[in-house]
Amino acid sequence: MEIIHTPKIAQKQSKMSIIVSVVLIVLLVGSVYISQLIFQEIAQSFNINILEARLVFSLSCFCYAISFFIYGPLSDRISTRPLVIFGCIGTIFCLGISGFVQSFKLYLFIMSLTGFFAASVPAALFAYTAKTTPNKQLPKMMGLMISASIVGIIFSRSFIAMLTDSCSWQFAFIIYAALIFCTCLLIPYSIKKNAANNQKLGIIQTYLNATQLLLHKNIIVFLLVGFILFFIYLGISSFLTIYLKGAPFYLSSTTLGWLNFAGISAVIGATITGKLSQSIQGNKLLIICLLCVSASIIIIGLSSNLISITIGIFSLFLSVFGVQPIIISILNQTVTMMSRGTISSLYLLACLAGGSIGTYLLGLVYEKQNWNGIIITCIILSLANIVLAFWGTKLRQIAKK
């Protein structure tokens, strides 16, 4: 007997799909960032230096970033539901066993796999949202997905930090895996079986098309802007944790978790610039936001009290994620409609690779120059990024002519 879906039933299914997609993105994106506020506790568990513990995030984030190049093109060839289930099961397994391993090297490998599995979920759901949303509602829905990613970063770090203080990071990871598992149970009822768009296109050709985009000068420039931006943002975020746990602040993981909520400004930044771009030229808005990034770093670096640092964190998240809609819009206007899914994945790859490499290289700076060395390095990079973005906008203007 054929089931007839009334408009009300279809509307409920659509809302269910949106809710489950948002929750999955929050949890799976967050799973990559859960170690950022608990480096000290991880270091104590494995009896290693706290700077070695930062590799947990660096490798996880790097694998997460690289995986977008794998899953981005695949999301046009494989149905969404299998990709999402694959990523969720893999992430649950990795988080579940991570607390039982005794070797730090094995722990690094497992957390790197977490990044690999987690990436399939946002990659698949971003593509799914683009395919199932009417064009008029698409900007709003994609903004919702980006906001979910930001909330995932903030929620996971704070949630894990607070649980770690009250119990242990091992227990916190199991609870986080349980949250993903419970959400997984709703996937069959919310995410429809959709057909892939490019099943006729060979897998090799799919990746060749993605690689060819990297030969475009304008694309490379703006991918570099995103790379440097996240090199600074995630690098500072990681070492700010170590800085605030030492003299003269001596903050606990719980306090850092609450402080991390200042990052909710990222949602505000993405929303504001999305609206401002309709009245202010995108090129000008990009430069303004990047100037604000430099100012935020200076505020954080010169602050001697927690209130000033909180203002700096709020401003940094606001400006860094305020840049995202602008650059994504510029890149989408540079490529054809058929390549927009791939270019989004390439941009996410550039940003996350920048964050991963930044966390590692700034660790070398921290070993020799401490916190002040990191701040000076980031200020120099942020100013260089402004110059790079300005050059990119000039190239766009020349290309249009």
Side-chain angles (χ1 to χ4, degrees):
M1 181 178 178
E2 187 179 357
I3 299 173
I4 300 173
H5 293 284
T6 65
K8 286 186 178 181
I9 294 174
Q11 191 175 16
K12 285 182 180 179
Q13 289 178 334
S14 177
K15 287 181 179 179
M16 181 71 167
S17 176
I18 293 167
I19 292 169
V20 173
S21 294
V22 165
V23 174
L24 283 171
I25 287 176
V26 167
L27 293 174
L28 273 297
V29 171
S31 69
V32 182
Y33 294 82
I34 56 178
S35 64
Q36 265 198 312
L37 299 186
I38 57 168
F39 289 152
Q40 189 173 25
E41 289 80 359
I42 292 172
Q44 289 170 354
S45 294
F46 292 100
N47 196 26
I48 57 172
N49 187 284
I50 193 170
L51 289 177
E52 287 184 77
R54 82 186 189 279
L55 292 174
V56 177
F57 173 70
S58 294
L59 290 176
S60 177
C61 189
F62 183 75
C63 288
Y64 179 71
I66 292 296
S67 299
F68 270 96
F69 188 76
I70 298 171
Y71 294 124
L74 277 182
S75 64
D76 286 330
R77 300 189 78 255
I78 299 175
S79 185
T80 303
R81 192 188 289 180
L83 270 179
V84 172
I85 293 173
F86 169 77
C88 288
I89 291 174
T91 305
I92 291 167
F93 176 75
C94 289
L95 290 177
I97 66 171
S98 63
F100 297 97
V101 299
Q102 302 298 316
S103 166
F104 181 64
K105 288 183 179 179
L106 180 58
Y107 177 71
L108 279 179
F109 176 72
I110 291 169
M111 293 308 292
S112 298
L113 278 181
T114 302
F116 168 76
F117 285 116
S120 71
V121 176
L125 289 177
F126 268 73
Y128 177 77
T129 302
K131 294 171 188 173
T132 58
T133 305
N135 288 334
K136 289 183 179 179
Q137 297 178 6
L138 190 57
K140 177 183 175 182
M141 291 306 303
M142 294 307 288
L144 182 63
M145 296 296 111
I146 292 171
S147 296
S149 301
I150 299 166
V151 172
I153 297 170
I154 297 164
F155 166 76
S156 64
R157 294 193 298 195
S158 298
F159 179 73
I160 294 297
M162 292 173 186
L163 267 183
T164 298
D165 252 2
S166 59
C167 303
S168 67
W169 66 263
Q170 292 94 334
F171 178 75
F173 279 23
I174 291 173
I175 294 298
Y176 200 91
L179 291 177
I180 298 174
F181 175 77
C182 291
T183 311
C184 266
L185 298 177
L186 300 174
I187 291 174
Y189 308 102
S190 56
I191 298 175
K192 300 175 184 177
K193 289 183 179 179
N194 61 308
N197 289 341
N198 295 324
Q199 288 179 326
K200 294 182 180 179
L201 193 64
I203 187 69
I204 295 175
Q205 189 59 47
T206 300
Y207 286 107
L208 283 176
N209 291 347
T211 306
Q212 286 173 359
L213 293 176
L214 297 175
L215 301 177
H216 198 295
K217 188 186 292 184
N218 283 6
I219 290 174
I220 291 174
V221 169
F222 286 105
L223 290 180
L224 278 174
V225 171
F227 178 92
I228 296 172
L229 192 65
F230 270 68
F231 185 106
I232 295 166
Y233 154 64
L234 286 178
I236 284 186
S237 297
S238 296
F239 289 96
L240 186 61
T241 300
I242 299 173
Y243 175 62
L244 292 177
K245 282 194 172 184
F249 301 100
Y250 298 110
L251 299 185
S252 67
S253 293
T254 297
T255 306
L256 282 171
W258 286 112
L259 181 63
N260 181 62
F261 276 109
I264 202 69
S265 61
V267 178
I268 302 170
T271 304
I272 290 174
T273 53
K275 291 183 178 180
L276 284 177
S277 61
Q278 296 175 0
S279 55
I280 301 176
Q281 191 179 8
N283 295 342
K284 293 179 180 178
L285 199 56
L286 174 61
I287 302 301
I288 291 170
C289 287
L290 290 175
L291 284 168
C292 290
V293 171
S294 298
S296 303
I297 297 167
I298 293 170
I299 291 170
I300 292 171
L302 296 179
S303 297
S304 57
N305 61 75
L306 204 53
I307 294 175
S308 299
I309 288 177
T310 303
I311 292 171
I313 294 171
F314 186 92
S315 176
L316 181 65
F317 273 79
L318 186 75
S319 48
V320 165
F321 285 94
V323 169
Q324 303 312 306
I326 305 169
I327 299 182
I328 289 173
S329 176
I330 289 172
L331 288 170
N332 279 330
Q333 291 171 27
T334 307
V335 301
T336 63
M337 184 68 69
M338 292 297 294
S339 300
R340 288 188 174 182
T342 302
I343 196 62
S344 296
S345 292
L346 286 176
Y347 179 67
L348 287 170
L349 166 60
C351 290
L352 293 166
S356 175
I357 294 169
T359 306
Y360 175 76
L361 292 182
L362 287 176
L364 303 179
V365 174
Y366 188 84
E367 285 181 308
K368 295 183 178 180
Q369 303 293 330
N370 295 319
W371 176 247
N372 289 336
I374 286 181
I375 293 297
I376 292 169
T377 302
C378 288
I379 290 172
I380 293 170
L381 286 173
S382 67
L383 293 175
N385 212 22
I386 294 170
V387 175
L388 183 63
F390 184 76
W391 181 48
T393 58
K394 291 299 179 184
L395 287 176
R396 282 191 74 212
Q397 291 171 358
I398 293 170
K400 285 182 179 180
K401 292 178 182 178

